[in-house]
Amino acid sequence: GEAYHSKMAALSCSASRVAGATASTRATASSRGVAMSAAVPRASKPGAASASVFLTGGASGRRMALTAARAKGSSAGARGFEVVARAISEPEVTEEVAVVEEKADEAVCYLRGVHMSPYKVRRVMDVIRGKSYEECLIMLEFMPYRACEPTLNALFSAASNAKNNLGMNKAKLYVSECYADGTGTMKRFHPRAQGRPFPIRKRTCNITLKMKERE
């Protein structure tokens, strides 16, 4: 019995020594954490608040971190709101461009898909270019070319556009610009000797005729 009591007393002494050592270690660690947390906020680094929270721990550290985050977010939101408000309040700078509406001074006629080579039409266009309306009528009436017919139709249309749409006087009109552009070519075949096909190219063109009024 005495041996049993002596063993129990030794175990209790050892347990008390271990508990005392553990308590002293915890006290030392807490004092170090408090000292470091007090020293960290003095630093100017951005991660100081997070370091202090990590070292101190507990509910108080979490509350401090949450308060700092809210303050940061509110300041950023306030800055963003100030920028938007300033942009709305400031007048928008726009460059004023003077728009001058020019009155149309020429009548145009476009004749599309004329079944004729542009080379044959240009021969007639070169004659009437720069001539007055009456002179063009006379020339196109007596010239011996088949291209005179579509050119005369374009001349009539341009003169009518000048009178009805622009209010010009036909007696003062003249051909300021005229030209013929080649467009698509229709390909046909004609039988020739020994059963061979011979290609036939049917060319087309577009006629553009512009007229102005002499001053």
Side-chain angles (χ1 to χ4, degrees):
E2 293 179 0
Y4 175 76
H5 287 297
S6 62
K7 289 182 180 180
M8 292 298 294
L11 289 174
S12 61
C13 290
S14 62
S16 62
R17 289 177 183 177
V18 171
T22 304
S24 62
T25 304
R26 289 181 179 178
T28 305
S30 62
S31 62
R32 289 180 181 177
V34 171
M36 293 184 69
S37 64
V40 167
R42 296 192 186 97
S44 60
K45 295 183 180 180
S50 60
S52 64
V53 172
F54 176 76
L55 291 173
T56 56
S60 61
R62 287 194 294 271
R63 284 197 296 270
M64 291 175 61
L66 183 60
T67 304
R70 287 177 179 176
K72 185 176 179 181
S74 62
S75 62
R79 287 195 297 272
F81 179 76
E82 290 176 0
V83 171
V84 173
R86 190 182 302 110
I88 294 175
S89 61
E90 292 179 357
E92 185 178 358
V93 179
T94 56
E95 297 181 358
E96 295 182 0
V97 180
V99 179
V100 180
E101 295 183 359
E102 296 183 358
K103 184 180 179 181
D105 58 346
E106 65 179 4
V108 186
C109 173
Y110 300 101
L111 196 60
R112 306 296 188 190
V114 180
H115 290 267
M116 192 172 297
S117 174
Y119 302 100
K120 299 177 180 178
V121 179
R122 288 168 190 160
R123 179 171 52 184
V124 177
M125 293 289 183
D126 294 338
V127 175
I128 66 172
R129 187 178 292 111
K131 301 296 190 297
S132 63
Y133 179 58
E134 289 82 0
E135 292 177 348
C136 292
L137 290 177
I138 297 173
M139 290 179 181
L140 294 175
E141 187 69 25
F142 295 101
M143 288 175 67
Y145 302 120
R146 194 167 64 89
C148 293
E149 183 178 354
T151 306
L152 188 61
N153 293 335
L155 185 69
F156 285 147
S157 180
S160 299
N161 292 337
K163 179 181 178 181
N164 299 328
N165 300 337
L166 304 177
M168 296 182 180
N169 187 6
K170 285 187 176 182
K172 297 181 180 180
L173 293 177
Y174 74 99
V175 179
S176 60
E177 186 177 357
C178 59
Y179 52 88
D181 297 325
T183 56
T185 300
M186 296 183 294
K187 297 181 180 179
R188 302 292 184 266
F189 293 93
H190 183 71
R192 295 297 293 270
Q194 299 180 359
R196 296 173 181 174
F198 181 77
I200 300 175
R201 298 180 180 87
K202 297 186 177 181
R203 305 181 186 277
T204 60
C205 67
N206 295 335
I207 296 176
T208 303
L209 194 145
K210 302 181 181 180
M211 300 189 74
K212 288 185 178 181
E213 191 177 23
R214 293 189 186 275
E215 299 179 358

